[in-house]
Amino acid sequence: MSAVTTTVAVAAPEVSSEVRRRRRLSPGRRLPAARLVGPLLFLALWAAASAAGRLDPAAIPAPWTVVRTGAHLWTAGTLPTDILTSLQRAASGFAIGLTAGVLLALAAGLSRVGEALIDGTVNLNRAIPTLGLIPLFILWLGIGESFKIAIIAIVVYIPIYLNTHAALAGIDHRFVELAEVQGLSRFAFVRQIVIPGALPGFFVGLRLGVTGSWLGLVVLEQINATSGLGYMMFQAQNYGQSDVILVGLVVYGVFGLASDSAVRLIERRVLSWRRSLSS
């Protein structure tokens, strides 16, 4: 009886040591609001450099100057209108790109014929600079809103397609064999195996697509636009208003960070079953 007790007592420290060693290898517990540390540190350095006179106010205004300018544009009514216009453009293009990227990835990932028809075409499209298509799309769709939404949709659908298709191609074939043995229907196979297997890659593509929609928008709104954040910045450039330009950049950055954080939150909820270093 004493021998058994001694064995357990000796084994317990070994197990505890192994657990501690595994914990040291992991990044550790997630910090609350950790993604805000970097932006806040950058803001503090910017404010300190401005207060010390290290930055030229004409080129890089102080943060409080940018805040005053933003408040003035908001009370004047121009900033809310430009923000709403930009959100509508980004949302329309993103919705079209998201739908196209998912459908094309499913068609190419679940069918050899679909892969032969779609995958090479999408990769050819990826090799062509999307912003280089602007002159051609202006000739096709005119210089109104249609070509802007179309370009944003292309910017969005490519990363969503590539990452979702790669995730589909990476599904273990043993799951397919198991589904065949279980006699799953095509619909049940897609619902129970294909979709869960493709979700990690889909969310990576979704984050890249959200960021791409804002990057494309800032360029497109400077081409024959009469409203929007990009148009506001373009007009400010003509008049040398660097504070207005920084207001637009800050708004773009806030929306980009907020949308990416929203996707990451949804990803953690949907993929709560998956254990990873970021968990």
Side-chain angles (χ1 to χ4, degrees), residues 17-40:
S17 176
E18 180 67 23
V19 170
R20 284 198 300 269
R21 185 160 57 249
R22 284 202 301 266
R23 286 177 178 172
R24 283 199 299 268
L25 294 176
S26 67
R29 185 176 301 175
R30 183 184 297 275
L31 300 176
R35 301 191 72 205
L36 297 178
V37 174
L40 290 176

Side-chain angles (χ1 to χ4, degrees), residues 6 53 70 148 173 178 186 230 242 266 268:
T6 304
K148 297 182 180 67
H173 194 268
L178 179 61
R186 187 72 170 179
S242 57
I266 296 172
R268 285 200 298 269

